[in-house]
Amino acid sequence: MSDAVAAAKPLPFLFQFAAGAIAGVSEILCMYPLDVAKTRLMLQVGTGADQYKSIVDVFGRIIKEEGASRLYRGILPPIMVEAPKRAIKFASNDTYGPMYMRLFNQKQLTQSLAIMTGVTAGITEALIVATPELVKIRLQAKENAGRYTGTMDCVRKIYAEEGLKAFANGLEATIWRHALWNGGYFGSIFGIKKLMPKAETKRGELAVNFAAGAIGGTVGTTLNTPPDVVKTRIQNYNSAKGPPPYTTFLAGARTIAREEGVRALYKGYVPKVLRLGPGGGILLVVYDHVTTYMRDHFL
């Protein structure tokens, strides 16, 4: 958020919610194909000849073998949840910040409180997005390309074959993923803005917000890629096949590191950081502009 916005009276929750929703949908429409590439790379195990070699290889083979529309395969669940997800991210962050300031008797937000606020906002966000994430992963996975005809068909088949409990698979790893990303994102933004010179113009403020958001997104992505890899594999596992090899982040991380090496915990990092680095900048810039517009025209 800009310094001017941060100093102003907090927006009502519904305004925060709407601004976060607009920011989230804007980001996902721009960056979603990178999310598909990330998922395909994270699900790869082994070194067979049919493995994807790079982001370019993922995009090229998907377009050649499945059609360009597959780059947006599974976008409906995240679009449906993106509004509440991003809205909750920013609204929770704006709500928890003042709460922690009162709790710890601080007149201003500090670096540690910014991290704590982001982690709490991430946990709140994870509880909302875990099930839509599972459906999205099933639709994005290469092995499921001909299995599901769409979102509702995917939901029906998961319920019929695996039961209602399957929709909670990966919840614990999702909490790790979102807590680490939000803590790194909002904590970094706070620190970066303190280090950067104060913007004197709207264009300068836009540049500061984008740079802070992009760096924050990169830090968050670096922190949360291991739980994202574990979460993705847990959620793609069909529990009708029998007990999964692991069900929690730490158990999954140990198993993957032992069987595939520590580097495997960063599979899909490049498309993920290419999405969430600039994507973090897009989120912050759009959110800041929308909230500023709301203050100027509705309050």
Side-chain angles (χ1 to χ4, degrees), residues 6-227:
K9 183 178 179 181
L11 284 169
F13 178 80
L14 287 178
F15 285 83
Q16 295 174 356
F17 190 94
I22 293 168
V25 172
S26 299
E27 186 271 339
I28 199 170
L29 289 174
C30 294
M31 313 300 285
Y32 188 76
L34 287 167
D35 192 63
V36 174
K38 176 209 76 170
T39 299
R40 295 287 180 99
L41 290 168
M42 283 183 171
L43 291 174
Q44 289 192 146
V45 178
T47 57
D50 62 338
Q51 300 281 323
Y52 296 115
K53 306 298 188 297
S54 64
I55 307 174
V56 174
D57 187 42
V58 174
F59 286 154
R61 285 176 56 184
I62 288 176
I63 292 170
K64 181 179 179 181
E65 298 169 7
E66 305 172 45
S69 64
R70 291 289 180 172
L71 293 174
Y72 280 86
R73 171 82 166 173
I75 195 173
L76 183 58
I79 282 287
M80 291 174 66
V81 79
E82 196 67 21
K85 171 184 172 182
R86 299 303 188 189
I88 287 167
K89 177 191 295 294
F90 285 101
S92 296
N93 192 69
D94 287 349
T95 300
Y96 291 135
M99 181 189 77
Y100 282 130
M101 287 166 61
R102 291 192 299 271
L103 182 64
F104 292 99
N105 197 28
Q106 296 288 330
K107 293 183 179 180
Q108 291 186 325
L109 196 67
T110 64
Q111 180 84 54
S112 58
L113 289 184
I115 295 170
M116 190 183 303
T117 296
V119 168
T120 312
I123 293 171
T124 305
E125 181 185 22
L127 297 174
I128 303 298
V129 306
T131 296
E133 273 285 318
L134 183 144
V135 176
K136 182 198 76 172
I137 294 300
R138 295 292 181 95
L139 289 166
Q140 288 181 340
K142 182 181 179 181
E143 62 265 34
N144 295 331
R147 178 173 176 74
Y148 306 117
T149 59
T151 300
M152 293 313 299
D153 182 57
C154 181
V155 171
R156 283 192 294 267
K157 286 179 177 174
I158 292 172
Y159 178 72
E161 297 171 4
E162 304 172 58
L164 188 61
K165 288 176 63 178
F167 291 104
N169 289 350
L171 173 60
E172 183 260 2
T174 303
I175 290 173
W176 276 96
R177 184 182 83 151
H178 287 265
L180 289 173
W181 198 88
N182 281 270
Y185 180 67
F186 288 111
S188 296
I189 287 171
F190 181 90
I192 291 161
K193 285 191 170 185
K194 288 289 185 183
L195 295 174
M196 296 182 76
K198 185 175 176 61
E200 300 294 336
T201 65
K202 288 198 177 232
R203 180 172 291 185
E205 185 178 353
L206 176 68
V208 168
N209 282 339
F210 186 84
I215 295 170
T218 302
V219 171
T221 298
T222 302
L223 291 172
N224 91 332
T225 297

